[in-house]
Amino acid sequence: MSNDVVELFDRVADRYDEVLPFFESFGRLCVDRLPMPGTGDRLLDIGAGRGAIAVAAQARGFAVTATDASTGMVRQLQREHAGIDARVMDAGRLDFDEDTFDVVTAGFVMHLLDEPQAAVREVKRVLKPGGLFAFTGPGRVPDGFEFADGSDALFAEFSRYLPPGGSMGEPFEEREALAAAGFTGVDETDLRIELAVPDAETFWQWLQTHGTRKFFDDLSAERRAEFRARLIADLESRGSVVLRRYAWLYRGWA
Ligand SMILES: C[S@@+](CC[C@H](N)C(=O)[O-])C[C@H]1O[C@@H](n2cnc3c(N)ncnc32)[C@H](O)[C@@H]1O
């Protein structure tokens, strides 16, 4: 487990997904693609954050356990959603018996892990035979997809100012990792959201409240100020600010 990653999410936990409902929107899309639960079906959400998937899954009828390595995130979950069993736990070492859950989910987590393959094996172990693992993450941009806010060009330009070795997570071949752990019937779907953003400053604030914050923490103060000024000028010249993003949903059966 990377302490830097967990420390970052601890630091942003109180504002995470509060500025714009980005993760909540993707969480709902993910849960829409889960089977309807039978009576008492158990769902484990790993790297649950403030419950983007866990809350929607509970509303769908699952008995939900949510785990996260960040104490700050788990505290928020416990405070806001008392009906969810929330615990601090590393995705790579799940403290559950084998064959415990009907579904395991992970929203925007797997690409942040140092050893995603180990987490996939753990998920397989705690799933009942025939259970479903569904997880989302960023991936290649589908043809014709545009970010609609121009920030992708700025991120590409400013990434050259980052210190070496500063990224989060390890390269991860989703299909290969799922197959190696014994999952079958693997499929992938792209999910898209589009959110109206009140103004450019809100967009900047949103960038500070989740994993992207690390990018700005790793820039010098001058570069960060330059990025902010150029982003805001560009967004204001567009008339309206729209956050249009995509994610990949992978599903595999144990
Ligand atoms: C981008 S957030 C996603 C949170 C939530 N699933 C959502 O969709 O909003 C990534 C989450 O993974 C958690 N995380 C990072 N490394 C982890 C690890 N090794 N084990 C468990 N959780 C981890 C972070 O604390 C953070 O809450």
Side-chain angles (χ1 to χ4, degrees), residues 132-146:
L132 173 67
F133 182 28
F135 64 93
T136 57
R140 70 188 157 76
V141 180
D143 288 344
F145 185 88
E146 288 176 21

Side-chain angles (χ1 to χ4, degrees), residues 1 5 9 16 23 47-49 52 68-70 73 89-91 107-109 112-113:
M1 168 169 89
V5 174
F9 283 103
Y16 181 86
F23 293 98
D68 198 290
S70 154
M73 288 292 197
M89 201 179 292
D90 188 336
F108 295 98
V109 181
L112 300 175
L113 302 178

